[in-house]
Amino acid sequence: MQPNFLIRRAVQLGLTANALRPLRARSTTIPVFFAGWLTGELAPQFLALTVADTAVHLARHGVRDRSTQAGLAMAAASAAGLATLIRTGHGAREEIESALTSALGEDYASELGRSDLGLPWGELALPFRMGAPDVRVDRNIAYAPGGKRFLLDVYRPVEPVSGAPVLLQVHGGAWVIGNKEEQGRPLMRYLARRGWVCVAINYPLSPAHRWPAHIVAAKRSLAWIRSHIASYGGDPRFVAVTGGSAGGHLAALLALSQNDPALQPEFEDADTSVQACVPHYGVYDFAATSGSGASKYRLESLIARRVFAPDRDPVNHLDDYIAASPLDRISSEAPPFFVIHGRDDSLVPVREAREFVRRLREKSRQPVAYAELAGAQHAFDVFTSVRSAHVVRGVARFLDHTYNAWKAENR
């Protein structure tokens, strides 16, 4: 009997089942997310390990007992589930393309010239390798006084560029953790290779810094971009913004609070407009005004306790929370949006993104694309996977199209 083989196969089957159908109990949200995220995005690697482990076990021990037979059955079930996860990841290409054609028109791609839709097999083989020899990174540039939480990195082509469009990347982490090196790097590398200049920022974190320090810092980084990005080859007139989770919240709020003097203390005259926004799995119902139970729980357990100051409770200071909520700041002046969310997101339920998009489409005069990704958990784009590679290429097409339209209007 080889109980270790049976245990390994049982664990893998449990991980696969969780990735296919995540548990919805609030008490297990974090472990369900973490296990489902890694299993779903690394399904090809887990499938290869399952096949290799099974083959090695059979070569050494054969099929001698019921334990091995049970392990083989579990291995077969895991392999089938992992193959389903891989197919679902590939489906992101069609989901992204459908979102773009719906928002931009059936012939949008013809305006872009040649599109790179192939998968980056080298990056998929080493998904956590973040270096890119063909991308230059200028690190730890201060965009405001205050230390390491006010530093940014600039990603740009190795060959000098001039007048390139700019992307601002805002990391997530529930407003309390995270840094600029952890998120958005596959997208920034890809765009930099295509001639974009990308900026990834740190910003103050709670509970040491309370709201609105986070959004004020993000706006300060925009002011820095407008003043300094030309020296790195960027065009300060066109800045798109992206981010995931809390970074998606901040990105959306930047796009919907352009030049708001209340969020720009002592730099009220700075231009903090953005020309496009691509939030990933963002938090939009910050003030829980939609009535969602999940939004209310997040407001009471996290935002009111750790992000806002203790004396600014949502009962007596609801207006402060509404002012910080993208869902409640939508107007006809919103820039083009491409909202992306996973259908199986355990941390920010997909219905929050659906409601945000519905309201955006009601009011905005600009295109609003929405891709809802089957099988995708929170944070699906942190490293290179089949799904995230398709998403990165779709985001690039959206940004290129938006930039071309902006150029045509601003000649």
Side-chain angles (χ1 to χ4, degrees):
M1 181 179 292
Q2 294 293 325
N4 289 340
F5 175 69
L6 181 64
I7 291 170
R8 291 196 301 273
R9 296 302 102 231
V11 170
Q12 181 60 71
L13 182 58
L15 291 172
T16 303
N18 172 68
L20 288 167
R21 291 185 176 274
L23 296 174
R24 299 299 181 188
R26 188 171 287 163
S27 60
T28 61
T29 294
I30 300 300
V32 163
F33 146 66
F34 193 78
W37 162 54
L38 288 177
T39 306
E41 300 311 313
L42 295 174
Q45 289 85 349
F46 278 115
L47 178 58
L49 286 173
T50 297
V51 171
D53 185 41
T54 302
V56 169
H57 180 83
L58 289 177
R60 290 179 176 175
H61 305 286
V63 184
R64 302 184 206 172
D65 51 47
R66 292 183 179 180
S67 174
T68 295
Q69 293 172 3
L72 290 176
M74 291 181 181
S78 293
L82 291 166
T84 298
L85 290 171
I86 294 169
R87 287 195 300 272
T88 304
H90 273 295
R93 175 173 173 172
E94 183 177 340
E95 291 161 337
I96 291 289
E97 190 63 19
S98 176
L100 294 176
T101 55
S102 176
L104 305 178
E106 294 289 338
D107 61 344
Y108 88 93
S110 63
E111 304 171 16
L112 300 178
R114 182 181 177 184
S115 293
D116 172 22
L117 301 179
L119 290 174
W121 295 108
E123 293 182 21
L124 289 171
L126 298 170
F128 299 107
R129 186 180 65 183
M130 295 298 179
D134 52 349
V135 174
R136 176 177 177 179
V137 184
D138 302 279
R139 300 189 183 280
N140 295 324
I141 302 164
Y143 66 85
K148 66 180 181 179
R149 296 313 310 177
F150 295 89
L151 300 178
L152 58 81
D153 297 338
V154 177
Y155 293 69
R156 52 179 167 150
V158 171
E159 296 298 324
V161 293
S162 177
V166 179
L167 178 75
L168 171 61
Q169 155 69 28
V170 187
H171 72 76
W175 306 275
V176 299
I177 60 173
N179 65 69
K180 55 186 169 57
E181 290 85 16
E182 294 174 351
Q183 296 179 15
R185 293 176 72 179
L187 175 60
M188 290 189 292
R189 290 200 315 263
Y190 184 75
L191 286 175
R193 292 187 184 114
R194 296 170 60 85
W196 283 65
V197 173
C198 303
V199 177
I201 64 166
N202 280 341
Y203 54 86
L205 299 175
S206 295
H209 301 272
R210 300 293 180 143
W211 189 268
H214 322 66
I215 189 66
V216 171
K219 284 182 172 285
R220 283 196 178 276
S221 75
L222 266 174
W224 182 93
I225 288 171
R226 289 263 144 69
S227 298
H228 297 92
I229 205 64
S231 62
Y232 295 87
D235 184 346
R237 299 174 301 163
F238 185 93
V239 182
V241 62
T242 188
S245 194
H249 161 258
L250 292 169
L253 189 59
L254 281 173
L256 297 171
S257 64
Q258 304 188 46
N259 300 317
D260 181 350
L263 299 177
Q264 299 177 209
E266 300 180 4
F267 62 112
E268 293 86 353
D269 295 333
D271 179 7
T272 60
S273 63
V274 298
Q275 284 59 59
C277 184
V278 187
H280 295 59
Y281 43 90
V283 174
Y284 307 112
D285 188 15
F286 195 77
T289 57
S290 71
S292 163
S295 299
K296 183 178 180 182
Y297 177 78
R298 182 179 60 227
L299 172 66
E300 294 175 347
S301 64
L302 171 63
I303 296 173
R305 290 185 179 184
R306 295 178 63 83
V307 180
F308 269 70
D311 62 344
R312 312 301 288 181
D313 65 89
V315 174
N316 297 310
H317 301 278
L318 183 60
D319 287 348
D320 292 345
Y321 291 79
I322 289 174
S325 179
L327 190 69
D328 299 294
R329 297 201 63 148
I330 296 170
S331 75
S332 61
E333 302 303 312
F337 263 81
F338 186 9
V339 179
I340 306 172
H341 214 95
R343 193 172 299 162
D344 287 344
D345 195 318
S346 297
L347 300 185
V348 182
V350 67
R351 61 181 176 270
E352 188 166 328
R354 293 172 183 165
E355 179 62 14
F356 180 63
V357 168
R358 185 188 70 79
R359 296 192 192 184
L360 259 179
R361 287 174 170 168
E362 281 184 352
K363 292 187 177 182
S364 177
R365 297 195 295 257
Q366 299 292 337
V368 179
Y370 175 55
E372 187 172 299
L373 306 179
Q377 257 290 359
H378 205 73
F380 58 81
D381 64 329
V382 169
F383 54 84
T384 301
S385 66
V386 170
R387 178 182 288 109
S388 70
H390 287 312
V391 170
V392 161
R393 282 147 183 78
V395 169
R397 296 198 298 280
F398 172 80
L399 291 174
D400 284 343
H401 183 277
T402 304
Y403 178 55
N404 289 343
W406 176 86
K407 284 194 298 183
E409 293 177 2
N410 292 273
R411 287 174 178 168

